[in-house]
Amino acid sequence: MIRSHSLRRSAQLARRRLRRALPAVGVLLAAAVLTGCGGRPVQAGAAAVVGPDRITESAVQARVAEFRAQAARLPSGQYQEQAGLVGATVSGMIFSEVVEHALAEHRLTVSDTEIAQARADQAQAWGGEAGLEQMLLLKHAVPAGEIDTFHREQIGLQKLAALGGQQIGTTEGNKTVHQLLAEAAGELKVTVNPRYGSWDAQQAVLESPSEEWLPQSGAAA
């Protein structure tokens, strides 16, 4: 059931990362926002600063390396890396922090039991754990080690939409989530290291540079 895929340009990757959804329940986040604020310098060695937390360059490189190692084990021809992986990785790591902050602000939690159930449902839908890992890797740039985080975010987004009596994937539900994430990102004062790109305020995505500073692996075999 898994078709050949390739990651597109940075804006497309980041936009897809921000709009990822749980296929089993058919949810879709239409426009989750990550508002960048340039009022403070990015600390040395940081890819981004989100509130009191630093997303380090080493953490980004480790996440990218994990992705590439998993992609390299796919059958030949299923994946060929294109520009945008690093920017999408930074964007996704920031997104996780923003969602977590929004949930905490509204005293919402996602339990390990909820995550395990969502993962089990998705694995069943994709023919087992291996199928789930492959689908999330190719469609959403989620390496195996981040699958639980992915599901935590998706369940969290559903709970944020429910605060307004809405469902994610609907116009009103998406508006509710968009507003709550915008507020959370504003409170956190997200700042991104220019080497990783800059925030597009209108599209709410990370526009990534060429990434020549980080070696590319090319086609995975």
Side-chain angles (χ1 to χ4, degrees), residues 37-54:
C37 300
R40 57 178 174 169
V42 178
Q43 302 167 24
V49 179
V50 186
D53 299 325
R54 297 167 69 248

Side-chain angles (χ1 to χ4, degrees), residues 53-85:
D53 299 325
R54 297 167 69 248
I55 296 175
T56 65
E57 293 183 313
S58 60
V60 172
Q61 293 183 40
R63 181 77 61 85
V64 171
E66 180 186 4
F67 177 94
R68 287 174 174 161
Q70 189 177 345
R73 295 193 292 270
L74 294 173
S76 180
Q78 281 203 315
Y79 170 77
Q80 183 172 354
E81 186 174 317
Q82 297 183 12
L85 174 60

Side-chain angles (χ1 to χ4, degrees), residues 26-201:
V27 300
L28 174 66
L29 179 59
V33 67
L34 289 174
T35 304
C37 300
R40 57 178 174 169
V42 178
Q43 302 167 24
V49 179
V50 186
D53 299 325
R54 297 167 69 248
I55 296 175
T56 65
E57 293 183 313
S58 60
V60 172
Q61 293 183 40
R63 181 77 61 85
V64 171
E66 180 186 4
F67 177 94
R68 287 174 174 161
Q70 189 177 345
R73 295 193 292 270
L74 294 173
S76 180
Q78 281 203 315
Y79 170 77
Q80 183 172 354
E81 186 174 317
Q82 297 183 12
L85 174 60
V86 177
T89 300
V90 175
S91 182
M93 294 173 78
I94 296 171
F95 184 73
S96 295
E97 298 269 1
V98 173
V99 172
E100 190 68 24
H101 184 75
L103 291 172
E105 284 295 293
H106 294 280
R107 298 182 180 181
L108 296 172
T109 60
V110 178
S111 70
D112 291 342
T113 299
E114 289 175 305
I115 294 170
Q117 185 60 59
R119 182 165 182 160
D121 291 344
Q122 286 295 283
Q124 183 177 12
W126 286 92
E129 188 70 17
L132 172 63
E133 290 181 5
Q134 190 170 350
M135 181 275 291
L136 289 179
L137 184 80
L138 294 174
K139 293 188 67 175
H140 302 294
V142 176
E146 298 303 317
I147 291 178
D148 283 352
T149 297
F150 174 86
H151 285 106
R152 181 182 299 277
E153 291 169 8
Q154 298 310 301
I155 297 167
L157 293 173
Q158 294 175 48
K159 291 188 176 186
L160 289 173
L163 285 175
Q166 306 295 330
Q167 291 185 341
I168 199 76
T170 65
T171 299
E172 292 304 315
N174 292 341
K175 285 182 179 179
T176 296
V177 173
H178 183 281
Q179 180 179 349
L180 293 174
L181 294 183
E183 292 171 357
E187 291 169 358
L188 290 170
K189 294 181 170 56
V190 178
T191 306
V192 180
N193 186 325
R195 108 187 302 187
Y196 290 91
S198 60
W199 289 112
D200 182 325

